[in-house]
Amino acid sequence: MSLIAGYGSSDEEEGSSTHAQDAFGLTSIPAPKKMRIDEPSSSLTITAAPDVLSEDPLKQTSLITRPTDTRMNVNIPYADMMLPVQGPENPFGDRNRFLNQNALAGHVEEQSMTEHAFRQQHLTHSILGYSANPSIDPNAPAILGSAEKAQANGFATIDSIKASKASKKELKRKRKAKGDLEVIDGEGAYEGPWANWVGDEAQDTLPEGAEEEEEEDEDEPEEIVQMRKAKPKRGAPGLESSVFHGKSLTDYQGRTYMSPPLSEAPQLQSESGSQESFIPKVCIHTWTGHTQGVSVIRLFPNTGHLMLSGSMDTKIKLWDVYTHGNCLRTFHGHMKHVKDVTFSNDGRRFLSCGFDRQMKLWDTETGQCIKRFSNGKVPLVVKFHPDEDKQNIFLAGMLDKKIIQYDINSGDITQEYDQHLGPVNTITFVDENRRFVTTSDDKTIRAWDFDIPVVIKYIAEPHMHSMPAVTLHPNKKYFAAQSLDNQILVYSTDNFRQARNKRFAGHTVAGYACQVGFSPDGKWISSGDGEGNVVFWEWKSGRIKSRLKAHNKVVIAHEWLPHESSKLITASWDGLIKLWD
């Protein structure tokens, strides 16, 4: 302890000698802190650069520093400090590269102008082609734009230029002379206050689709003649066409796309609904090709190996379902949105209708438009008579509340069913095709005997809503109607009474004519909704079994493939058609 105390109380000279003669390892013992002693200020010495070397051991003739350096270990002569900056100049370092530059892009003058003055000059420049220069630079021109036009108008703005009375008088419409009271007909006849205006001569109008034959004036230039003849639109009556998209119309055996692909899908030979159906879960194929929303899809009768789709882009497309999933043919036949398409029993022909007030009969194989029908009203639904001996008859539900029956062979209207109070939305044949059921925007269901324009059953309740989509159950004993109060109601086909125990709800379809579907075995009932889902219910219990998110927009139509256990095709207003499994 005495040694430690002696070491602690010694000064620096003693400590250094003790370090040299340290035999007991005393230096490893931490020394206590020295007391701070205030020395007199006279003994303080100021060093300007305490860490700078007094001489240059590396013989450095010039100093090279990095931007990150914070200290220099060499004294620099004044001459070296004042050397000019060398190397390339940073083009972005000095923002004001020019003498008069006061902004990044150049010189900016601050000016204040009222909204009225600005609009005045802006309109003058856009209409007359000149405006006053707002610059305060004395060397700048006084006028921007056309100086000649400005001089012609006396440098006036648009609001101070007034048209002369003579020019106003010329612009006024002139009425033809009243005529002579004594002349009844012909030139100079009395027209009185009913005289036409000059230049308003009535032009002879031809019916739509008719071609006008005119003799071209020999003295008239060709350009004027070409301008006068407006180019008719594609799909107008008489100008229907179709485009085949495949490589060849027939395969190696000479078969067209009309024959079902039994080698790829042997199940097409089995009976529809003979196997148990399951709810699909995964999208396995997407058909793209329509540029706007799809409004209707229909499968080829019995086999379902082809699919027709009608769209708001006015086109009808025929798609392959089983082999490659391609678009086989596009039909250009309507000028406005396609509303409905339907196959005949054998699928060789199909009908289409659109908002251009036209109904057209097409050949599915060749793509030719066979016939067109129109009564000047908008058709909302078309339906072939299901009987084999009545394939020349079809019904059309119209926007003007009527159901019209056409004979394809003669092209004539053979019957009119006129009882509804609103546009007719659906036509469904029941009772071995002897009767049919129609729904309308008048919130009623009416049943008719075929070819007799008298309602045999009228269903209307105060709580009923419009039913824009109806589908027949596979067993033909019921039909399901999509009601716009977000539920599906079921009616019997023999006495047209509502099946109170069957009511399917839980989806949102208000405002949309979403199609109802049944699985081939009748076990599941399905419907699209306004949020892009497909909802599946169990037919027996009425419980929701699954909700499938299929599209971004409303799922307006969907079809179950008749010979598959769990395949479903959906179509939406987002322009896509999807196959689910």
mmCIF file of all heavy atoms in Angstrom, residues 478 490 498-504 539-542:
data_model
loop_
_atom_site.group_PDB
_atom_site.id
_atom_site.type_symbol
_atom_site.label_atom_id
_atom_site.label_comp_id
_atom_site.label_asym_id
_atom_site.label_seq_id
_atom_site.Cartn_x
_atom_site.Cartn_y
_atom_site.Cartn_z
ATOM 1 N N TYR A 478 -90.028 -26.312 -64.421
ATOM 2 C CA TYR A 478 -89.990 -24.996 -63.794
ATOM 3 C C TYR A 478 -89.237 -24.026 -64.699
ATOM 4 O O TYR A 478 -88.421 -24.433 -65.539
ATOM 5 C CB TYR A 478 -89.255 -25.056 -62.439
ATOM 6 C CG TYR A 478 -89.882 -25.972 -61.420
ATOM 7 C CD1 TYR A 478 -89.401 -27.278 -61.254
ATOM 8 C CD2 TYR A 478 -90.927 -25.540 -60.609
ATOM 9 C CE1 TYR A 478 -89.969 -28.131 -60.324
ATOM 10 C CE2 TYR A 478 -91.488 -26.382 -59.674
ATOM 11 C CZ TYR A 478 -91.012 -27.677 -59.531
ATOM 12 O OH TYR A 478 -91.575 -28.508 -58.604
ATOM 13 N N VAL A 490 -89.107 -18.781 -58.811
ATOM 14 C CA VAL A 490 -89.321 -19.987 -59.602
ATOM 15 C C VAL A 490 -90.820 -20.180 -59.805
ATOM 16 O O VAL A 490 -91.605 -20.048 -58.862
ATOM 17 C CB VAL A 490 -88.697 -21.212 -58.904
ATOM 18 C CG1 VAL A 490 -88.955 -22.473 -59.713
ATOM 19 C CG2 VAL A 490 -87.203 -21.006 -58.708
ATOM 20 N N GLN A 498 -96.260 -19.704 -58.639
ATOM 21 C CA GLN A 498 -94.928 -19.550 -58.067
ATOM 22 C C GLN A 498 -94.649 -20.656 -57.060
ATOM 23 O O GLN A 498 -95.501 -20.983 -56.234
ATOM 24 C CB GLN A 498 -94.806 -18.180 -57.375
ATOM 25 C CG GLN A 498 -93.395 -17.919 -56.857
ATOM 26 C CD GLN A 498 -93.294 -16.583 -56.134
ATOM 27 O OE1 GLN A 498 -94.189 -15.744 -56.238
ATOM 28 N NE2 GLN A 498 -92.214 -16.386 -55.410
ATOM 29 N N ALA A 499 -93.441 -21.234 -57.160
ATOM 30 C CA ALA A 499 -93.009 -22.231 -56.172
ATOM 31 C C ALA A 499 -92.471 -21.472 -54.962
ATOM 32 O O ALA A 499 -91.337 -20.991 -54.969
ATOM 33 C CB ALA A 499 -91.948 -23.143 -56.777
ATOM 34 N N ARG A 500 -93.316 -21.361 -53.922
ATOM 35 C CA ARG A 500 -92.972 -20.501 -52.792
ATOM 36 C C ARG A 500 -91.767 -21.030 -52.017
ATOM 37 O O ARG A 500 -91.086 -20.272 -51.340
ATOM 38 C CB ARG A 500 -94.169 -20.405 -51.844
ATOM 39 C CG ARG A 500 -95.416 -19.817 -52.482
ATOM 40 C CD ARG A 500 -95.323 -18.313 -52.609
ATOM 41 N NE ARG A 500 -96.506 -17.735 -53.238
ATOM 42 C CZ ARG A 500 -96.624 -16.479 -53.576
ATOM 43 N NH1 ARG A 500 -95.620 -15.648 -53.364
ATOM 44 N NH2 ARG A 500 -97.723 -16.019 -54.147
ATOM 45 N N ASN A 501 -91.545 -22.337 -52.069
ATOM 46 C CA ASN A 501 -90.442 -22.912 -51.298
ATOM 47 C C ASN A 501 -89.100 -22.705 -51.993
ATOM 48 O O ASN A 501 -88.058 -23.015 -51.419
ATOM 49 C CB ASN A 501 -90.683 -24.407 -51.064
ATOM 50 C CG ASN A 501 -90.809 -25.169 -52.377
ATOM 51 O OD1 ASN A 501 -91.174 -24.582 -53.394
ATOM 52 N ND2 ASN A 501 -90.505 -26.457 -52.354
ATOM 53 N N LYS A 502 -89.113 -22.220 -53.233
ATOM 54 C CA LYS A 502 -87.850 -22.028 -53.952
ATOM 55 C C LYS A 502 -87.679 -20.534 -54.227
ATOM 56 O O LYS A 502 -88.390 -19.936 -55.028
ATOM 57 C CB LYS A 502 -87.848 -22.809 -55.267
ATOM 58 C CG LYS A 502 -87.914 -24.306 -55.031
ATOM 59 C CD LYS A 502 -87.379 -25.070 -56.214
ATOM 60 C CE LYS A 502 -87.431 -26.566 -55.981
ATOM 61 N NZ LYS A 502 -86.641 -27.000 -54.843
ATOM 62 N N ARG A 503 -86.748 -19.958 -53.482
ATOM 63 C CA ARG A 503 -86.443 -18.544 -53.672
ATOM 64 C C ARG A 503 -84.960 -18.372 -53.390
ATOM 65 O O ARG A 503 -84.469 -18.780 -52.341
ATOM 66 C CB ARG A 503 -87.280 -17.711 -52.694
ATOM 67 C CG ARG A 503 -87.068 -16.233 -52.789
ATOM 68 C CD ARG A 503 -87.957 -15.494 -51.792
ATOM 69 N NE ARG A 503 -87.385 -14.189 -51.474
ATOM 70 C CZ ARG A 503 -86.426 -13.991 -50.600
ATOM 71 N NH1 ARG A 503 -85.917 -15.002 -49.925
ATOM 72 N NH2 ARG A 503 -85.956 -12.769 -50.373
ATOM 73 N N PHE A 504 -84.249 -17.810 -54.349
ATOM 74 C CA PHE A 504 -82.787 -17.742 -54.265
ATOM 75 C C PHE A 504 -82.374 -16.278 -54.177
ATOM 76 O O PHE A 504 -82.638 -15.491 -55.090
ATOM 77 C CB PHE A 504 -82.154 -18.410 -55.481
ATOM 78 C CG PHE A 504 -82.628 -19.828 -55.687
ATOM 79 C CD1 PHE A 504 -83.692 -20.106 -56.535
ATOM 80 C CD2 PHE A 504 -82.037 -20.864 -54.995
ATOM 81 C CE1 PHE A 504 -84.145 -21.394 -56.710
ATOM 82 C CE2 PHE A 504 -82.487 -22.173 -55.160
ATOM 83 C CZ PHE A 504 -83.543 -22.441 -56.016
ATOM 84 N N TRP A 539 -80.160 -26.314 -55.748
ATOM 85 C CA TRP A 539 -81.556 -26.234 -56.218
ATOM 86 C C TRP A 539 -82.528 -26.729 -55.153
ATOM 87 O O TRP A 539 -83.588 -26.140 -54.946
ATOM 88 C CB TRP A 539 -81.682 -27.038 -57.510
ATOM 89 C CG TRP A 539 -83.099 -27.235 -57.978
ATOM 90 C CD1 TRP A 539 -83.815 -28.386 -57.959
ATOM 91 C CD2 TRP A 539 -83.972 -26.238 -58.523
ATOM 92 N NE1 TRP A 539 -85.077 -28.181 -58.462
ATOM 93 C CE2 TRP A 539 -85.205 -26.861 -58.824
ATOM 94 C CE3 TRP A 539 -83.843 -24.881 -58.795
ATOM 95 C CZ2 TRP A 539 -86.285 -26.184 -59.370
ATOM 96 C CZ3 TRP A 539 -84.913 -24.194 -59.337
ATOM 97 C CH2 TRP A 539 -86.124 -24.849 -59.624
ATOM 98 N N LYS A 540 -82.149 -27.793 -54.429
ATOM 99 C CA LYS A 540 -83.089 -28.385 -53.466
ATOM 100 C C LYS A 540 -83.234 -27.517 -52.227
ATOM 101 O O LYS A 540 -84.346 -27.211 -51.797
ATOM 102 C CB LYS A 540 -82.622 -29.787 -53.078
ATOM 103 C CG LYS A 540 -82.930 -30.833 -54.134
ATOM 104 C CD LYS A 540 -82.621 -32.226 -53.616
ATOM 105 C CE LYS A 540 -83.017 -33.278 -54.660
ATOM 106 N NZ LYS A 540 -82.668 -34.629 -54.192
ATOM 107 N N SER A 541 -82.113 -27.109 -51.627
ATOM 108 C CA SER A 541 -82.182 -26.416 -50.337
ATOM 109 C C SER A 541 -82.288 -24.902 -50.484
ATOM 110 O O SER A 541 -82.797 -24.230 -49.591
ATOM 111 C CB SER A 541 -80.937 -26.756 -49.507
ATOM 112 O OG SER A 541 -79.786 -26.232 -50.150
ATOM 113 N N GLY A 542 -81.792 -24.339 -51.595
ATOM 114 C CA GLY A 542 -81.826 -22.890 -51.779
ATOM 115 C C GLY A 542 -80.699 -22.161 -51.093
ATOM 116 O O GLY A 542 -80.691 -20.927 -51.035
#
